[in-house]
C-alpha cells in the first residue's frame, strides 16, 4: 500500500509504564501509515483527551494506575462507536476480554505486552483493528487449543490453521500467502468453518463471530 | 436509672404481666377479706328468724356484693398508684405520698364496706384493725408487682446489652473482613500491575538484545537470552497470576460467574466444560449484585471442586447456578458435576472442601458433596443472599 491510497491511522496510547509507552510511541511514529494522536498515562487523562472522531485506534493498557483499561475502552467506544480498541496487557486476560467482546459496537483486539515490542506485530494489528478486524495476540493464538466437546474441536486441522490466522487478524490473501495455498481455498476453508460453527447469517460479521468462538472455545494448556 | 427509661425497656407484654400480678394479688386479698367477713359474721345462726334457705341466698348475695366492692377498692388502689406516676411523675416523694394515701384510703373504704355489711355493729378498734390489714394487703400486692417489674427491667437490660455486644462484634468482624479484602485486592493489583509489567518489560528488553546478538551472528547466545526471556514471561503470566489469583481473583471484581467462566477456561483443554445459568441469574448484573465476600466463597469453592474433578480424571465438568428469590431474601444455588472416577462413599468425608464447607456455613449456607448422576462427584452449595444490602 502506498501512502497516497492508505489514509493515516490516528492512534492514541494509554499506558502507565513509561518505558512501554515510549517504546510504542517510537515504533508507531516510525511507520508512515500511523500518526500518534495522544500518548497518555491514565484513565482520567484519557477520558478528557480522547474526543470522539479524534482517534481511529486506541491502544489501552488493561491495568492502569488509576483504573481499568477495559472500562475505559467501553466508555470511549460508547462516545465514539467507530473507535477501534486494542487492549494491551502483561497478563493473560483473554477470558476477561472475551466477556467484553460479546457486546461492543466494534470488535476489540488483544495484544500481550511482549508482542507489542515487535514492530511488525504492532503495526499489522493497528492496521487490522483500524479496518474493523479483531486481532488476537499471535503468540497466544498459536498456544490455544480447542476445548473438548466444543464446535471448534470439530474443525479439521486445515480449517483450524486458517481460523488461527483469521484470529491473528490476517486478510484472506495474507493467509493464502502464509499457508502457501490459493486464496480461493482459504475462502473454501472459511465457508466450511462457518458451517461447522453454525454461523449462518451472511449479513453478520461472521469473521469476527468466528474469532469470538475461537476465544471462547479454546484454552491454553500449560506445558 | 430514671423510671422513664425503666418503663421504656419493658415490652407491652411485660407491662401487662406486671399489671396482672398486681390485679391477681388484689383479687386474692379481696377474696380473703370476703371469706373472713363470711366467717366473722355472715353465717345464719340457728336461732335466726329467717328460713335457712333464704338466709343462704341472702348470704351469697351480700357476700358477692362485698367481694365486688372490696375488689373495686383494690382496683382503685392500683389505679391511684399508676395515675400518681402518670400525672405527677416528676416529684418522687410527692408521688409516693399520693400512692400511700391512695392505698390507705382504698383500705379504709374496704374496712368500712366490710363493717357496713356486717349485722353486728363494729367498733372503732375493729374498723382500725380492718383498715390496717387492708392497707398492708394492698401495699404488699403492689410491691410484689413492683418487684416483678424490677426483675423484668433487669432482664431486659442485660438482654439489650447482650444484643448490642453481639452487634458490635459482628460489626468488628465485618470491618476486619473488609480490611482483609482491601489489602488482598491491593496486593493482587500490585502483582498484576507493576510486578508483572516489570517482568514483561525485562523479557522484552532481553528479546531486543537477542535480536541484536543475532544480527551480529551470535545465534547461540541469542537463543540462550530468549530462553531466559521465556522463563521471565512464564513467571509473569503463570506464577504471578497464580499467586495473585489466590489473593484475589480479578474477575470477581466484575461478576461472580465471569470469574467461574475464567476458572473453566483455565482447565486443561481435554476437559469439556459447560456453565449454565438459570433464569434467576439471567437478569443483567445479578452476578455483580452478589456481595464480594460471597463471590469469593463461591469462586474458591467451585475452583476446589474443579481441581478435584481434574485430579479424578474427569473428561467433562458442568457448573449449574441459579438464584431463587422471594420477598427480599434470595438464595444462590451452585452445583458442580463431573464425570471423574467418582466417590467411593455415598457420604464422603470432605478433605480440601472442608475449609470451604465451614466458610459457606459461616454465611448461613450449606455445602454438600455426593455422587453425581454423571458418574463423578456433585458439589452443591446453597447460600442465602440479601441483595438489597
Amino acid at each position: 500500500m502506498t501512502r497516497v491510497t492508505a489514509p493515516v491511522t490516528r492512534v492514541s496510547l494509554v499506558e502507565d509504564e513509561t518505558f512501554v509507552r515510549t517504546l510504542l510511541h517510537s515504533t508507531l511514529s516510525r511507520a508512515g501509515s500511523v500518526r500518534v494522536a495522544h500518548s497518555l498515562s491514565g484513565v482520567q487523562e484519557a477520558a478528557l483527551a480522547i474526543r470522539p472522531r479524534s482517534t481511529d485506534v486506541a491502544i489501552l493498557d488493561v491495568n492502569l494506575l488509576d483504573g481499568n483499561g477495559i472500562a475505559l475502552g467501553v466508555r470511549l467506544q460508547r462516545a465514539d462507536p467507530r473507535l477501534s480498541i486494542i487492549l494491551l496487557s502483561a497478563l493473560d486476560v483473554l477470558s476477561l476480554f472475551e466477556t467484553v467482546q460479546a457486546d461492543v459496537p466494534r470488535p476489540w483486539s488483544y495484544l500481550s505486552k511482549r508482542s507489542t515490542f515487535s514492530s511488525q506485530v504492532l503495526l499489522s494489528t493497528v492496521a487490522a483493528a483500524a479496518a474493523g478486524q479483531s486481532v488476537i495476540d499471535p503468540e497466544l493464538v498459536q498456544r490455544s487449543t480447542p476445548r473438548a466437546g466444543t464446535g471448534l474441536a470439530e474443525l479439521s486441522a486445515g480449517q483450524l490453521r486458517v481460523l488461527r490466522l483469521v484470529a491473528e487478524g490476517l486478510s484472506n490473501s495474507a493467509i493464502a500467502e502464509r499457508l502457501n495455498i490459493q486464496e480461493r481455498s482459504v475462502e473454501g476453508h472459511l465457508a466450511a468453518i462457518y458451517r461447522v460453527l453454525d454461523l449462518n447469517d451472511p449479513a453478520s460479521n461472521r469473521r469476527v463471530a468466528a474469532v469470538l468462538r475461537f476465544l471462547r472455545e479454546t484454552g491454553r494448556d500449560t506445558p | 436509672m430514671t423510671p422513664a427509661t425503666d418503663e421504656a425497656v419493658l415490652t407491652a407484654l411485660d407491662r401487662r404481666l406486671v399489671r396482672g400480678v398486681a390485679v391477681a394479688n388484689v383479687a386474692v386479698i379481696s377474696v380473703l377479706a370476703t371469706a373472713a367477713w363470711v366467717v366473722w359474721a355472715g353465717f345464719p345462726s340457728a336461732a335466726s328468724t329467717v328460713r335457712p334457705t333464704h338466709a343462704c341466698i341472702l348470704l351469697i348475695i351480700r357476700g358477692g356484693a362485698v367481694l365486688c366492692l372490696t375488689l373495686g377498692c383494690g382496683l382503685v388502689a392500683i389505679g391511684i398508684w399508676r395515675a400518681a406516676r402518670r400525672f405527677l411523675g416528676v416529684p418522687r416523694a410527692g408521688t409516693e405520698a399520693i400512692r400511700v394515701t391512695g392505698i390507705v384510703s382504698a383500705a379504709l373504704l374496704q374496712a368500712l364496706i366490710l363493717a357496713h355489711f356486717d349485722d353486728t355493729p363494729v367498733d372503732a378498734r375493729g374498723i382500725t384493725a380492718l383498715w390496717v390489714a387492708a392497707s398492708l394487703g394492698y401495699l404488699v400486692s403492689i410491691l410484689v408487682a413492683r418487684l416483678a417489674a424490677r426483675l423484668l427491667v433487669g432482664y431486659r437490660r442485660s438482654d439489650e446489652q447482650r444484643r448490642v455486644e453481639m452487634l458490635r462484634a459482628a460489626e468488628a468482624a465485618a470491618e476486619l473482613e473488609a480490611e482483609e479484602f482491601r489489602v488482598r485486592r491491593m496486593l493482587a493489583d500490585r502483582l498484576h500491575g507493576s510486578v508483572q509489567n516489570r517482568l514483561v518489560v525485562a523479557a522484552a528488553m532481553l528479546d531486543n538484545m537477542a535480536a541484536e546478538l543475532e544480527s551480529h551472528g551470535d545465534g547461540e547466545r541469542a537463543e540462550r537470552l530468549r530462553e531466559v526471556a521465556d522463563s521471565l514471561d512464564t513467571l509473569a503470566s503463570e506464577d504471578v497470576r497464580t499467586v495473585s489469583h489466590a489473593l484475589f481473583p480479578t474477575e470477581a471484581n466484575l461478576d461472580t460467574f465471569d470469574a467461574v467462566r475464567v476458572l473453566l477456561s483455565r482447565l486443561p483443554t481435554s476437559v469439556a466444560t459447560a456453565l449454565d445459568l438459570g433464569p434467576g441469574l439471567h437478569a443483567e448484573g445479578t452476578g455483580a449484585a452478589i456481595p464480594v465476600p460471597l463471590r469469593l466463597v463461591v469462586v474458591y469453592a467451585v475452583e476446589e471442586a474443579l481441581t478435584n474433578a481434574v485430579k479424578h480424571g474427569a473428561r467433562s465438568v458442568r457448573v449449574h447456578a441459579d438464584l431463587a428469590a422471594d420477598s427480599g431474601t434470595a438464595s444462590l444455588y451452585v452445583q458442580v458435576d463431573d464425570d471423574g472416577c467418582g466417590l467411593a462413599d455415598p457420604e464422603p468425608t470432605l478433605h480440601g472442601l472442608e475449609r470451604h464447607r465451614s466458610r459457606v456455613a459461616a454465611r448461613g449456607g450449606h455445602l454438600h458433596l455426593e455422587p453425581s448422576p454423571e458418574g463423578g462427584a456433585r458439589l452443591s452449595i446453597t447460600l442465602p443472599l440479601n441483595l438489597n444490602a
Side-chain angles (χ1 to χ4, degrees), chain B residues 22-73:
Chain B
V23 170
N25 277 340
V26 161
V28 167
I29 300 245
S30 305
V31 169
L32 286 178
T34 311
W37 173 82
V38 169
V39 172
W40 170 35
F43 286 122
S45 59
S48 168
T49 50
V50 196
R51 273 201 294 163
T53 43
H54 285 176
C56 260
I57 292 167
L58 199 64
L59 179 67
I60 288 169
I61 292 171
R62 284 169 34 134
V66 167
L67 181 60
C68 286
L69 288 168
T70 50
L71 196 60
C73 291

Side-chain angles (χ1 to χ4, degrees), chain A residues 19 96 113-114 117 147-148 221, chain B residues 197 204 207 265 267-269 271:
Chain A
F19 175 80
L96 264 188
K113 271 193 190 159
R114 198 177 170 196
F117 296 113
R147 180 170 296 286
D221 291 321
Chain B
N197 254 325
D207 275 342
S265 78
L267 290 180
T269 50
V271 180

Side-chain angles (χ1 to χ4, degrees), chain B residues 341-359:
Chain B
C341 59
L343 301 162
D345 187 348
E347 290 289 326
T349 46
L350 302 170
H351 299 291
L353 278 170
E354 180 53 38
R355 199 160 39 98
H356 300 282
R357 196 197 57 74
S358 58
R359 276 190 203 166

Side-chain angles (χ1 to χ4, degrees), chain A residues 18 66 102 118 125 157 187 212:
Chain A
T18 320
D66 63 342
S118 145
T125 304
E187 281 158 17
L212 200 56

Side-chain angles (χ1 to χ4, degrees), chain A residues 3-213:
Chain A
R3 285 173 76 176
V4 183
T5 53
V8 168
T9 307
R10 295 163 302 168
V11 176
S12 288
L13 277 173
V14 188
E15 162 67 65
D16 49 8
E17 193 83 10
T18 320
F19 175 80
V20 180
R21 191 174 62 241
T22 318
L23 204 84
L24 286 174
H25 194 156
S26 69
T27 310
L28 292 168
S29 309
R30 275 202 302 275
S33 58
V34 174
R35 185 171 66 78
V36 178
H38 300 285
S39 189
L40 309 157
S41 63
V43 170
Q44 304 295 335
E45 252 186 288
L48 288 174
I50 304 178
R51 314 298 321 165
R53 302 291 164 83
S54 72
T55 295
D56 302 306
V57 178
I59 302 181
L60 312 175
D61 185 11
V62 173
N63 288 98
L64 290 161
L65 278 181
D66 63 342
N68 180 292
I70 296 183
L72 174 65
V74 170
R75 191 167 150 195
L76 291 176
Q77 227 176 21
R78 201 171 292 150
D80 181 5
R82 298 207 312 196
L83 179 71
S84 298
I85 306 280
I86 299 176
L87 281 183
L88 208 60
S89 178
L91 78 155
D92 176 6
V93 289
L94 216 52
S95 15
L96 264 188
F97 169 74
E98 177 212 312
T99 58
V100 178
Q101 185 77 293
D103 38 35
V104 288
R106 198 169 164 86
W108 289 28
S109 300
Y110 171 86
L111 282 184
S112 80
K113 271 193 190 159
R114 198 177 170 196
S115 301
T116 60
F117 296 113
S118 145
S119 64
Q120 184 228 328
V121 172
L122 181 61
L123 292 174
S124 66
T125 304
V126 168
Q133 224 15 268
S134 171
V135 182
I136 309 302
D137 189 275
E139 199 262 339
L140 260 170
V141 166
Q142 295 306 324
R143 273 208 298 137
S144 301
T145 332
R147 180 170 296 286
T150 60
L152 212 72
E154 288 167 28
L155 295 179
S156 71
Q159 288 161 355
L160 193 61
R161 231 175 351 250
V162 169
L163 183 55
R164 281 209 164 98
L165 295 178
V166 170
E168 286 183 26
L170 267 60
S171 65
N172 285 359
S173 59
I175 293 172
E177 199 178 312
R178 182 80 71 87
L179 294 180
N180 239 333
I181 52 176
Q182 295 287 313
E183 196 171 333
R184 195 170 309 156
S185 47
V186 172
E187 281 158 17
H189 275 311
L190 272 177
I193 289 167
Y194 297 152
R195 214 167 32 246
V196 174
L197 297 183
D198 258 338
L199 302 170
N200 297 318
D201 182 7
S204 65
N205 192 339
R206 292 192 288 185
R207 219 176 163 86
V208 171
V211 173
L212 200 56
R213 287 286 292 276

